[in-house]
Amino acid sequence: MKGIKSWGYPVLLLGGIGVSNIGEWIYFLSLNLIVLKETGSAFAVSVLYLIRPAAVLMTNVWAGSIIDRFNKRNIMFTLDFFRAMLITILPLMLSAWSVYSVYCIVFFINMANAMFRPSSMAYVTLLIPPERRKRFNSLRALLESGAFLLGPAAAGLLFIAGTPIFAIWVNAAALSLSGIITMMLPNLEKDLHLQSSRQKLSLAVYKEDWQLVYRSAGRQEMSCLSIFYSVWL
């Protein structure tokens, strides 16, 4: 019973991550069909695939500094609700404005997606003890790979039952549910932020973080070179 009780919060976290991953597939497939129907252009659909890596590249430059200095749990459920709100208005934007407005909304959604994953990974290190992280990470990988199958299958069932717009709104509801689940998780950084003064974000802070990354990458490179020389010399 003690082991089951200790896995209560990790199961909640896995549930929120699983719902979010499945919903992401439903949203993306539905969006492809909607854009293809409204524009009749395969090129317009292909642009959706270019927006994601562009959003990830732009977000990863500064997201780590924010995640390090703010409450991870609060970031996670805020991103869930933010994505749910944007996905809800996405079909309305397509009918009222041009496809370019949809690209802008999709860009912000992908930025939130890019920021959610490192936030959840950082929260996992706080919530899960080191001896249980291997099992948790294996279960998380199973959920993420399972979402690759369950997401398109769920999207297909929703397309049969309704329309792609209906499927998108179901995804928005799923993300809202994920945010509610995340809010039920413990606030592990509450006392930490009360005891320490929060450093304000500025260009100097970002520069310091990038210098730290550069020094760490340099040490890893030197370590790899030393291993190489020890093997071959």
Side-chain angles (χ1 to χ4, degrees), residues 134-156:
K134 289 184 178 179
R135 180 179 297 180
F136 180 89
N137 289 332
S138 64
L139 291 174
R140 177 172 181 167
L142 178 63
L143 282 176
E144 291 177 348
S145 59
F148 180 78
L149 299 175
L150 294 178

Side-chain angles (χ1 to χ4, degrees), residues 180-222:
I180 294 172
I181 293 175
T182 305
M183 292 179 67
M184 298 169 62
L185 295 172
N187 189 2
L188 301 176
E189 298 174 279
K190 182 178 180 181
D191 296 335
L192 178 63
H193 285 291
L194 287 176
Q195 294 174 3
S196 61
S197 58
R198 184 178 298 171
Q199 187 177 10
K200 293 184 178 180
L201 292 174
S202 62
L203 291 177
V205 171
Y206 288 118
K207 183 179 179 181
E208 180 181 350
D209 287 345
W210 273 104
Q211 289 176 345
L212 177 63
V213 172
Y214 179 77
R215 289 195 297 268
S216 177
R219 287 195 296 268
Q220 292 180 0
E221 183 179 355
M222 293 300 296

Side-chain angles (χ1 to χ4, degrees), residues 215-229:
R215 289 195 297 268
S216 177
R219 287 195 296 268
Q220 292 180 0
E221 183 179 355
M222 293 300 296
S223 177
C224 292
L225 288 175
S226 63
I227 294 175
F228 176 81
Y229 285 128

Side-chain angles (χ1 to χ4, degrees), residues 9 14 49 77 158 194 198 209 217 227:
Y9 287 131
L14 286 172
Y49 291 85
F77 71 72
L158 290 173
L194 287 176
R198 184 178 298 171
D209 287 345
I227 294 175

